[in-house]
Amino acid sequence: MSTAVDQLFAVRAAIGKASIEAGRKMDSVQLVAVSKTFGADEIRPVLDAGQRVFGENRVQEAQGKWPAVRSEFSGLELHLIGPLQSNKCEDAVALFDVIETVDREKIAGALATEMKKQNRFPKLYVQVNTGSEPQKAGIEPKEAVAFVQRCRDVHGLAIEGLMCIPPAEENPGPHFALLRKIAGEAKVEKLSMGMSGDYEVAIGFGATSVRVGSAIFGGRPLPAK
C-alpha cells in the first residue's frame, strides 16, 4: 500500500514529465499539496519529505494546525484556496502567504485594509468562475479583466495571478485555455489551475501551480458526527 510520501514523489514525477512534454522546464510548476481536513500528524511525513507549499480551504481549520507546524518547519508557504469571507480577512492576512480566492469588491477592500494595518502582504490571485456556475465562487469571466484592474487602481492590490476550478463534469481544457487568455489580457503571470484529476492537462495549458490533494493524501476523512 502506497503512502502519502510515495504518492508525493509520484505526483512530482508526473508534474516533471508533463512539464517537459509541454516544452517547459521540469521545475516550472509549483506543487501546492492540499492538506485540508488532514491533521498535522498526517501532514508531517510529507513535510519530512521536503514538501513546503500547502493549500487549505478554511481559515479556521488552518489556524488550528499551521502555527504549531510552522514552529517545527522553516520555509513553509501556505495558500488559501477556499472561499474567503470578509470577516475572516484579518485572520487570512495574518496566516496565509498566498490568497488565491479574491473574487469580489468587498473582499478586495477588506484585504487592502488588513494588509496595510498588519504591514503584511500576501500574494493575491483572483478566482475566476470559468464555468459561470451559480453555486461556485469566483468572478465571471467577462468581468475578470476589469476586476483585476480595479483591484490595482482602486484598492492598490498587486494581483499576481488567476485561479479557477472547472466544472467537474466538463472537459477542463477549454476552461484552462480561457483562464490563460484572461491572464494575458489582465497582464498577470501566474495561473493556479489543475487538481488531482487534471493537473497534467493544466500544465499543458500553462499552469504555474497545481493544487493536488487526494492524489497525495488519499480520500478525505469523513467528518465527525
Side-chain angles (χ1 to χ4, degrees), residues 103 126-133 136-148 162-164 167 174-175 178-179 181-183 185-186:
D103 66 349
V126 165
Q127 181 173 352
V128 182
N129 187 352
T130 56
S132 297
E133 297 174 275
K136 192 174 284 183
I139 193 88
E140 284 289 313
K142 65 181 182 294
E143 300 169 8
V145 175
F147 178 65
V148 170
L162 303 180
M163 181 268 244
C164 75
H175 295 273
L178 174 60
L179 196 72
K181 176 177 179 289
I182 294 169
E185 294 172 356

Side-chain angles (χ1 to χ4, degrees), residues 161-176:
L162 303 180
M163 181 268 244
C164 75
I165 306 171
E169 70 283 356
E170 293 186 19
N171 174 5
H175 295 273
F176 297 151

